[in-house]
Amino acid sequence: MTVTTITDAELQPKDYASDQEVRWCPGCGDYAILKAVHKAMAEVGARRERTVVVSGIGCAARFPYYMSTYGFHTIHGRAPAIATGIKLANPELDVWVMTGDGDGLSIGGNHMLHVLRRNVDLQIVLFNNEIYGLTKGQYSPTSRRGTKSPSTPGGSVDYPVSACAFALGAGARFVARSVDTLQGHLVGVLQRAHAHRGASFVEVFQNCVVFNDGAFDNFTAKDGAADTQLHVEHGKPLIFGARRDRGLRLKPGKLEIEVVTLSEGGVTPADLLVHDQTNRGLAHLLVALEPPGFPVALGVIYCNPAPSFEALVHAQAGAAGTGRQPPDLAELLMTKEGTWTVR
Amino acid sequence: MATTATSPARESRDSVVIRFAGDSGDGMQVTGGRFTIETALAGNDLTTFPDYPAEIRAPAGTTYGVSAFQIHFGAVDVMTPGDQVDVLVAMNPAALKVDLKDLRVGGTVVVDLGAFTERNLAKAGFTTNPLDDGSLAPYQVLKLDVTKLTLDAVKPSGLQSREAHRCRNMWALGLMLWMYGRDREATVGWLKQKFAGRPELVQANVAALNAGHAYGETAEMSEYGVGYTVRRAPVAPGVYRTVSGTEAIAWGLLAGLRAAGLERMIFAGYPITPASVLLHTLAGLARYGVITFQAEDEISAIGAAVGAAYAGALGVTSTSGPGMALKTEMLGLAIATELPLVVVDSQRAGPSTGMPTKAEQSDLLQAVHGRNADAPLVVLAAATATDCFDVAIEAVRLATKYMTPVILLSDAFLAHAAEPWRMPDLDRLPRFPVRFRTEPAGFHPFLRDAETLARPWARPGTPGLEHRIGGLEKDYDTGHISYDPENHARMTRARAEKIAGIANDIPPQSVALGADHGAVAVVGWGSTYGAIHQAVRRARQDGVDASHIHLRYLSPFPRNLGELLKRFDRVLVPELNTGQLVQLLRATYLVPAEGLNKVQGKPFKVSEIAEAIR
């Protein structure tokens, strides 16, 4: 292993790469995500010795090997549990969890639920390619109905889970979305996730070129992107379209969103919804939007910080020891009601 | 009626077994616990056996709702809860129904007449009243209206009838404390503390306790017999307290944490009977450096412990049989990544949910072999409640020195059993400070120590040691991922040799009683220690050339074990399972060991083992 002596201030994106050859399929969206993480880390000046990247199993889970930070490639679905232990042991560490739709929402769904509701201070990046890649192409819990795969030759019949709706339902306080090919956007979202204290959940739509190529073309293809993507920004109207003339508003009298076109039927900018990243109800509505009737909402959809789990645990543990010298074990063993001396 | 406080002459006894039995809501565990404290304070040796149903509140009065607490105490070395009961306190008909079979012929049964109503008799399944139908003829029966005597005694406190009724256990305790000449002061103090803020409850419970005691002192008792004295046991000088296996493990882990010089223990658990008590015990001890984490499931609990170990803390998790099954995959990860970890398994009767509150020793093979692939680790077993302290320290030592998971086997019996403990001199406990790797030059994560074969423990946060580990096979020389066939064989061998080498760092197997050769070696492990020891002692008194060998180290075995066993004509292995250690011994040493097996969710009786030795 090579030992480098670069000081943190000088770190460039490439300095976050390990010396290991990256072994994803040529053209895999994971390359772009890796690049974006390297960039985001350089942007935030992450210290490599304090950064830990934890993963489970799957294509995305190879991630730690390609980082020059500390890394732990664990077992299927359990990265949130291990990351929780790491943060409890040392809250100073900057911990990232890299997961996928199978790892994070199928085998590890329970841990994902609890790590989000507990609000452990982690950046959780879920690579959603709507397929099991490493095991050669079975449908996943995010696959759309009718997905034909080796295990569902007649098309899948079960309904998919929405990663962001799940995260919001679990009580996540930071929920964001991006796309592997939107490099600049993704770097920005990852920086926001890093800045958020508590569990930050980022879903990245990631193209699997081998088993599910083009799964997201309906909103990621360059030519139609402006009309199929809604880039949300806190405090700004929810507006999209190549001519920036379409927007979202609440359907009068209903808790439902509709797409409207400005200057049609008397719609003015004042009628449009303004994004409020602290509004959980709005976040639920936004993550449910799907083509073809709606654009896909991208960016920081929900951000409403609260004290993180490990901070609260340590505060409580610290309070229990406040004002005391490190106690003597002998004191613990002595009991008020039951010692006796034999001479 | 005599009102004098002079007791009739007391008879002397070497040892006595009392069982308090009643409905789950009758407070029998508390009663037994208080009798234990007073008995310990009186200087007797003792062992206890709490036996309670899994149901929190089974329907009142039914046989499956019976909760019992047995204590064996004496002026002699007491090592088991006792084969037969000398005195049975039965607070209702159901308790009599369930527990009478263990009372020795001629023993005493104390019943609460007030609870022997037609309704309660029917609920317990009696068609005739055992108090009248002659079925208790072989015993000495004390029929006392404990209910009425209690209600009379607590009347001045003005309690509602329900609360007044619940003081019956203190009345019964008072009577038993009188019968064996025990003090009440500690219990009075305890009641004051327990019901602080409810003076009427303190008053009522103390009144009931005193009334039971006074009842014994009056002439009303004389028609039934006398009080007894049980002399102090001859024990080594020192400061003593009672301790349960669970408490001893908790404190042993804390002592181990200090001995290793680590700042922090992360103890992660998921509620499961009978292991939860360890989580509860440690939860209140944050100021000793432990952070407890109630995880969402067994997998997460061990996952958090593994994560904590990776980050440089002492990672500990605790569970019972079914939970061990769930932790299996993560144990494999800890073995592959060679991280220190302590897993406490309080074994219970199985398979599956089995009998959650009943003891068994049936997780041994799971502990030693129960993982996918070749996945060796260290397995230790505690023999007694006090032994739990030392074994927990040893678990921390081996885990941190050899960078390996260690499974500490306890069981449902040890977890709750209490015995007197001479408190150790904490300054003289072993020290085994952990040395974290800090030197970047020449570092790779699987660089092995030449002597221990352990890899370095490199904590995140250490500059220059950034590294990646995981469940994939690693290259022996660089620590990078490797699929090379020869390398995998080499790494598999290295993992096995590291664990096998621990045999050189543990004491050779000693003989607990008897010679190191002879006619029969009785080989045990875990909580059967007391029963085996007494059985071997009895056999030796009868002239049988028997020895007791008790294993603390089950993986790896002590280096001299095979040779030691071969010096005996016969090897008998009593276990609370269908034959697990016996299988390991036969497979490892090709000795014709024979099993003695019991799977009733109950400890061995001394007589059962003594019978098999003959």
Side-chain angles (χ1 to χ4, degrees):
Chain A
M1 178 166 294
T2 49
V3 177
T4 46
T5 51
I6 301 165
T7 60
D8 298 324
E10 302 165 354
L11 290 180
Q12 301 298 311
K14 66 175 169 49
D15 297 320
Y16 292 94
S18 74
D19 58 358
Q20 296 295 291
E21 185 195 343
V22 183
R23 294 186 194 182
W24 285 310
C25 305
C28 177
D30 289 359
Y31 285 95
I33 302 174
L34 180 64
K35 198 170 144 198
V37 170
H38 288 165
K39 269 192 208 164
M41 284 199 181
E43 288 293 332
V44 302
R47 292 171 59 180
R48 289 179 301 185
E49 79 277 12
R50 290 210 162 179
T51 303
V52 185
V53 181
V54 187
S55 65
I57 294 290
C59 295
R62 294 296 182 100
F63 212 94
Y65 294 116
Y66 308 138
M67 302 293 301
S68 62
T69 61
Y70 281 89
F72 199 168
H73 177 213
T74 71
I75 51 179
H76 210 5
R78 319 302 175 201
I82 285 156
T84 300
I86 293 172
K87 283 298 281 192
L88 282 174
N90 185 356
E92 303 296 312
L93 296 173
D94 186 5
V95 183
W96 296 68
V97 171
M98 299 297 175
T99 184
D101 40 313
D103 189 64
L105 295 172
S106 193
I107 192 168
N110 191 37
H111 307 305
M112 188 62 77
L113 163 67
H114 292 281
V115 80
L116 292 174
R117 81 166 170 83
R118 283 192 187 105
N119 198 30
V120 183
D121 184 20
L122 305 167
Q123 292 77 247
I124 301 167
V125 185
L126 187 141
F127 301 26
N128 183 9
N129 56 14
E130 300 189 355
I131 207 79
Y132 280 88
L134 199 62
T135 51
K136 301 193 171 44
Q138 299 84 357
Y139 85 117
S140 91
T142 55
S143 296
R144 277 159 255 185
R145 285 191 85 202
T147 297
K148 290 195 175 181
S149 80
S151 57
T152 51
S156 60
V157 298
D158 43 344
Y159 298 92
V161 63
S162 154
C164 286
F166 173 87
L168 286 167
R173 309 194 71 96
F174 181 98
V175 175
R177 246 189 202 159
S178 191
V179 181
D180 52 4
T181 49
L182 293 179
Q183 194 61 201
H185 184 265
L186 179 53
V187 172
V189 163
L190 293 172
Q191 282 179 254
R192 284 284 311 272
H194 185 267
H196 176 83
R197 295 277 79 87
S200 317
F201 183 86
V202 180
E203 177 187 24
V204 184
F205 295 110
Q206 173 248 324
N207 191 40
C208 173
V209 287
V210 174
F211 294 111
N212 207 14
D213 195 22
F216 308 112
D217 278 358
N218 60 339
F219 66 93
T220 58
K222 279 216 173 73
D223 46 359
D227 290 316
T228 52
Q229 295 178 3
L230 169 69
H231 292 255
V232 303
E233 272 185 83
H234 182 60
K236 303 242 174 99
L238 294 167
I239 197 161
F240 67 104
R243 292 195 299 274
R244 306 289 291 164
D245 63 346
R246 305 177 72 196
L248 302 184
R249 76 168 183 191
L250 278 179
K251 216 181 250 185
K254 291 198 168 177
L255 192 58
E256 251 177 61
I257 281 179
E258 64 179 353
V259 174
V260 292
T261 304
L262 288 172
S263 77
E264 274 182 19
V267 175
T268 69
D271 295 323
L272 300 183
L273 276 167
V274 171
H275 184 46
D276 175 3
Q277 66 183 17
T278 66
N279 185 329
R280 188 178 284 274
L282 177 62
H284 273 286
L285 292 173
L286 288 174
V287 300
L289 302 180
E290 283 181 4
F294 294 94
V296 172
L298 301 172
V300 178
I301 293 165
Y302 185 63
C303 177
N304 191 8
S308 64
F309 177 69
E310 77 291 340
L312 292 171
V313 168
H314 277 266
Q316 202 177 51
T322 304
R324 299 189 67 110
Q325 293 297 316
D328 187 354
L329 270 189
E331 178 198 317
L332 168 68
L333 303 188
M334 295 299 276
T335 144
K336 274 176 236 150
E337 59 181 24
T339 64
W340 65 98
T341 303
V342 175
R343 289 174 214 288
Chain B
M1 186 188 294
T3 50
T4 162
T6 6
S7 306
R10 287 175 174 266
E11 283 182 17
S12 178
R13 289 277 184 278
D14 277 347
S15 74
V16 178
V17 178
I18 299 180
R19 183 182 297 176
F20 296 94
D23 201 65
S24 305
D26 282 344
M28 292 297 97
Q29 301 304 321
V30 168
T31 310
R34 293 314 313 170
F35 191 88
T36 302
I37 298 278
E38 300 290 4
T39 295
L41 292 173
N44 293 139
D45 198 7
L46 63 89
T47 296
T48 71
F49 178 33
D51 189 15
Y52 54 89
E55 293 79 9
I56 301 301
R57 286 281 185 276
T62 58
T63 51
Y64 48 92
V66 171
S67 171
F69 185 103
Q70 184 164 319
I71 173 170
H72 183 191
F73 60 99
V76 292
D77 208 2
V78 172
M79 309 181 92
T80 71
D83 284 9
Q84 285 195 308
V85 173
D86 297 308
V87 181
L88 171 65
V89 179
M91 299 301 282
N92 68 2
L96 185 70
K97 179 110 185 171
V98 170
D99 291 292
L100 186 66
K101 63 180 186 307
D102 294 324
L103 186 64
R104 70 169 167 80
V105 171
T108 302
V109 55
V110 181
V111 297
D112 177 9
L113 269 183
F116 276 67
T117 60
E118 266 183 39
R119 191 176 141 77
N120 282 349
L121 286 164
K123 271 201 242 174
F126 284 113
T127 47
T128 57
N129 189 338
L131 304 183
D132 307 326
D133 66 8
S135 58
L136 299 181
Y139 313 104
Q140 188 171 198
V141 187
L142 269 63
K143 300 178 205 172
L144 308 172
D145 196 342
V146 177
T147 301
K148 180 175 183 301
L149 290 163
T150 302
L151 294 180
D152 289 349
V154 307
K155 197 170 272 172
S157 65
L159 288 188
Q160 297 295 310
S161 92
R162 188 183 159 80
E163 280 183 321
H165 197 78
R166 291 178 72 170
C167 298
R168 288 159 71 233
N169 65 333
M170 284 299 127
W171 196 98
L173 176 63
L175 178 66
M176 297 315 286
L177 291 176
W178 169 81
M179 195 176 277
Y180 293 95
R182 322 261 94 138
D183 286 339
R184 281 160 290 161
E185 280 70 17
T187 298
V188 170
W190 175 81
L191 285 168
K192 284 179 180 161
Q193 204 176 6
K194 180 174 168 68
F195 296 118
R198 299 278 316 264
E200 73 284 10
L201 286 183
V202 176
Q203 192 197 341
N205 277 285
V206 171
L209 180 75
N210 288 340
H213 195 267
Y215 192 91
E217 291 224 336
T218 65
E220 289 172 88
M221 275 300 290
S222 63
E223 65 177 284
Y224 299 109
V226 294
Y228 300 91
T229 54
V230 179
R231 284 170 293 104
R232 287 176 167 275
V235 291
V239 179
Y240 285 75
R241 59 163 296 157
T242 63
V243 70
S244 70
T246 299
E247 289 169 323
I249 288 177
W251 302 334
L253 289 170
L254 290 172
L257 180 73
R258 291 189 173 214
L262 292 169
E263 268 173 54
R264 190 166 286 151
M265 180 201 313
I266 303 295
F267 181 96
Y270 180 74
I272 183 169
T273 302
S276 310
V277 201
L278 186 55
L279 172 63
H280 307 167
T281 305
L282 286 165
L285 300 177
R287 58 202 192 88
Y288 295 92
V290 58
I291 285 182
T292 52
F293 171 50
Q294 181 180 317
E296 61 270 24
D297 59 29
E298 296 283 0
I299 299 170
S300 175
I302 186 173
V306 168
Y310 175 72
L314 177 63
V316 183
T317 186
S318 160
T319 188
S320 185
M324 275 305 280
L326 285 165
K327 293 183 191 298
T328 298
E329 189 193 10
M330 198 68 78
L331 275 171
L333 179 69
I335 290 167
T337 53
E338 302 189 41
L339 283 168
L341 178 72
V342 176
V343 181
V344 181
D345 176 11
S346 300
Q347 302 163 94
R348 65 190 218 190
S352 189
T353 309
M355 301 195 287
T357 58
K358 310 296 179 191
E360 214 164 76
Q361 297 181 302
S362 44
D363 292 354
L364 176 60
L365 291 179
Q366 176 176 229
V368 175
H369 290 310
R371 286 163 295 284
N372 62 305
D374 291 308
L377 47 62
V378 177
V379 181
L380 308 178
T384 63
T386 57
D387 190 42
C388 285
F389 182 78
D390 297 328
V391 176
I393 295 174
E394 181 68 343
V396 176
R397 181 182 78 90
L398 294 176
T400 53
K401 181 169 177 183
Y402 291 90
M403 296 292 280
T404 177
V406 176
I407 295 176
L408 194 174
L409 294 173
S410 173
D411 63 42
F413 169 70
L414 271 188
H416 298 290
E419 60 178 9
W421 183 39
R422 184 158 68 108
M423 288 198 268
D425 181 349
L426 294 168
D427 295 331
R428 299 187 59 184
L429 290 177
R431 300 268 164 217
F432 37 85
V434 163
R435 281 189 302 273
F436 288 106
R437 173 88 183 199
T438 53
E439 175 53 50
F443 169 78
H444 81 74
F446 284 83
L447 192 67
R448 292 182 190 279
D449 180 272
E451 187 205 337
T452 62
L453 299 181
R455 75 174 190 88
W457 198 356
R459 278 184 295 190
T462 315
L465 296 189
E466 295 83 356
H467 66 277
R468 278 65 58 190
I469 58 170
L472 289 169
E473 186 61 284
K474 270 75 54 180
D475 183 79
Y476 190 96
D477 296 312
T478 65
H480 293 314
I481 299 172
S482 168
Y483 280 63
D484 180 75
E486 291 305 320
N487 177 73
H488 175 57
R490 190 180 184 195
M491 285 295 278
T492 301
R493 229 169 22 241
R495 287 186 284 263
E497 280 167 10
K498 180 177 81 168
I499 301 302
I502 291 173
N504 299 316
D505 192 19
I506 59 178
Q509 183 60 48
S510 59
V511 179
L513 181 63
D516 64 357
H517 60 279
V520 51
V522 188
V523 183
W525 65 280
S527 69
T528 51
Y529 182 89
I532 295 176
H533 207 77
Q534 297 290 23
V536 169
R537 181 178 287 170
R538 205 177 285 177
R540 293 178 63 79
Q541 283 162 1
D542 294 346
V544 181
D545 183 14
S547 296
H548 176 200
I549 295 172
H550 213 77
L551 304 185
R552 170 185 284 184
Y553 300 91
L554 296 156
S555 170
F557 284 133
R559 60 187 180 279
N560 65 328
L561 182 61
E563 188 246 338
L564 176 63
L565 296 182
K566 284 174 183 161
R567 293 209 293 263
F568 291 88
D569 302 336
R570 187 179 161 218
V571 175
L572 177 69
V573 185
E575 292 179 88
L576 299 174
N577 59 42
T578 55
Q580 302 197 5
L581 176 63
V582 74
Q583 209 180 109
L584 293 175
L585 293 178
R586 291 174 69 105
T588 311
Y589 301 117
L590 298 176
V591 289
E594 54 188 281
L596 170 65
N597 305 98
K598 178 174 180 179
V599 280
Q600 299 171 357
K602 283 183 176 294
F604 273 115
K605 290 182 176 178
V606 175
S607 57
E608 291 165 340
I609 299 171
E611 188 76 18
I613 296 174
R614 258 188 267 135

